[in-house]
Amino acid sequence: MSERFHRPTKLPGDRFEAYQGAEDPAETLRVAHDTANALLERVRNGADPAIIDRVVAYTDEHGIDALAELWARTSATTLPGALWRLYLLRAAVRQDPEHASVQFQRGTEVLGTIDAAVAGAQQPTGPAEIAELADRILRGVFTGDFGVALDRAVSFCRLMSAGATSMADDQELVNPQRASALTQRGLRYSSTALELADCARLWRKGSLD
């Protein structure tokens, strides 16, 4: 990754839904795969806490678009596609932890599954707790079992999807436009959960590249 400073890019809610994977020219795909593999190998093998801190917080300094240039247009079920989605989840939470915590807590209440435990969330999950949770999920990519980190992200996305959908129901009569935006966000979180679950399966089979 470039060492040149980039002004951090804000991430309004609609930007989360806007980022999608797509096919890229061969050379761009090669760079995306090479950088993802090199980053994962270097950080995991080095295990330097200071380096891990910098990698996790990379988008705080450089902005989410710095990684979008590398990974956003790769297939969802690839290593760069998985890393992109994990960084994007963290960026979305960090952009508005107060709203994210409300959405997550609502999802925990309405879903009634073990996903909160799988994600590793503290209860209740306030703004500070959800920001810390997003950090821990991404940190697990570099310090623990990559498949487990993906599993945690899947559960996180399921809860966020359920929360957004439930909140959309609340707004349907009083603010249809807001309800529609929340519904779209819920769908995006749901699709991200499915994509990351596929990545976890491929990782465990040794075929996530």
Side-chain angles (χ1 to χ4, degrees), residues 79-157:
L79 181 59
L83 289 175
W84 164 244
R85 282 156 179 77
L86 292 169
Y87 270 101
L88 184 57
L89 290 174
R90 180 186 180 274
V93 169
R94 285 275 172 177
Q95 183 65 40
D96 191 354
E98 184 170 351
H99 177 79
S101 67
V102 172
Q103 185 174 318
F104 184 89
Q105 193 65 40
R106 175 69 70 89
T108 301
E109 294 166 359
V110 301
L111 204 55
T113 63
I114 64 169
D115 283 300
V118 173
Q122 299 182 39
Q123 296 294 333
T125 310
E129 288 79 13
I130 199 165
E132 196 270 337
L133 174 60
D135 279 3
R136 280 192 286 117
I137 290 173
L138 183 56
R139 184 179 297 273
V141 168
F142 304 107
T143 62
D145 185 299
F146 190 83
V148 171
L150 291 172
D151 290 340
R152 296 180 67 191
V154 169
S155 288
F156 178 89
C157 288

Side-chain angles (χ1 to χ4, degrees), residues 128-202:
E129 288 79 13
I130 199 165
E132 196 270 337
L133 174 60
D135 279 3
R136 280 192 286 117
I137 290 173
L138 183 56
R139 184 179 297 273
V141 168
F142 304 107
T143 62
D145 185 299
F146 190 83
V148 171
L150 291 172
D151 290 340
R152 296 180 67 191
V154 169
S155 288
F156 178 89
C157 288
R158 287 172 179 161
L159 292 164
M160 293 295 280
S161 176
T165 301
S166 177
M167 292 165 68
D169 291 341
D170 293 344
Q171 296 292 318
E172 189 170 359
L173 295 179
V174 296
N175 192 339
Q177 185 174 1
R178 176 62 174 161
S180 178
L182 285 166
T183 298
Q184 290 300 314
R185 184 171 299 180
L187 290 172
R188 185 62 189 131
Y189 272 112
S190 180
S191 65
T192 301
L194 294 173
E195 292 162 352
L196 292 175
D198 286 340
C199 289
R201 285 190 289 270
L202 290 171

